[in-house]
Amino acid sequence: MPRLVLVTGDAAAIPAVAAASAVHAAGRGERTLLLAADDPHRLLDEHLGTRLSTADTEVRPGLCARRLDEQQAFRQAVAGLDGRLRTGYDLLGVDPLEPDELTALPGTRALALLHALRGPADGRAYDQVVVAAPPPAELTAALALPEQLDRYLARLLPEQRQAARALRPLLAAVAGMPAPAEWLHAARGWAAAELAATRSVIESPHTSVRLAVSAADCSVRGLRRAAAGLALFGHRLDSVAVHGALPRRAADSADPWLAEQAAAERDRLAAIDLGVPLLTADRSAHQVDGLAAQLFGDRPAPEPAERWPWTAQDRRAEDGVLVWRLAAPGADRADLELVRRGDELVVGLGPYRRILPLPGALRRCTVAGAALRDGELTLRFAPDPALWPERG
């Protein structure tokens, strides 16, 4: 499986950092694909000096590039589903839609991105795929989609096919309600397999996220919130790449205004502090090769780390509680929302929200408290006497 680097962050910085990341990887001898999944102003074309198409095109030795076409991806997806949907068309008594009638629906861009992440369209083998991804909120929502759809499938079409088949005569006779048809169960199995394949790529240790920052107008709080949202879904950053910083010598400038601006920029960038390397390129890096050299130098690009380990710890002997630790780098206490719902915990961090199944032991506990400190959310659970066995 190739390494997958998702570049997100400030809209103006994403194309530059993605192009530099891909050029650096290709320069180190890695067969690299640069995928333009979000580049509304075609800035990647300018950085690479060529107009990207929907086919993998070699732009320099070892580096190919491609633009994601949402409309084309939607039509291909519908065409691939035609055989599975035909039974539904027959039941409804309607004719299938012609390709020319298909127009991408809201939300299909996320599906097109997820499909593209699973592998190059032309079957070429790559060592690294760099994606100029959508901004953090949109990217996080897209990456969370397979898990959410998996959960909906489990709730709406549970895998109890044999039981449903045995109960079919009883349901028809007593309730007048037929059990789901075989084709529906087959479609559910196909959808589950597709979601599992997509999640295996998203959750792979070879996949990481790189935050691209415009030094001049970056929002520190926005970046920290973005990192917290990504961490909520288990995604780890490999670095923060700063584009367009003031030169280092500006801090020692004889011009008081320039020196003040440089000091303020340095303090603002230091405040990001997400526990990953901070890579910086200044305004002298106008070309992509210069930008790659300043960001990465002769070093290999930062390696992705393992997904955030969320651990449950039994501290009944010391404190009478069990503790569940969740990584939340960049999270702000004011953004935190926690709701216990049965055997699940709803965690909200600003605009991001995830439903987490509780580990088995914690399902027999009540929530005793929570604390957010040093980028870690600590939840304390007290054993419920009615559900917890007596200790001998």
Side-chain angles (χ1 to χ4, degrees), residues 165-189:
R165 180 181 295 170
L167 289 173
R168 184 177 298 154
L170 180 62
L171 290 172
V174 176
M177 180 177 64
E182 290 293 324
W183 71 271
L184 187 59
H185 287 293
R188 188 247 188 260

Side-chain angles (χ1 to χ4, degrees), residues 123-135:
R124 297 191 195 185
Y126 293 104
D127 300 310
Q128 185 167 154
V129 177
V130 178
V131 182

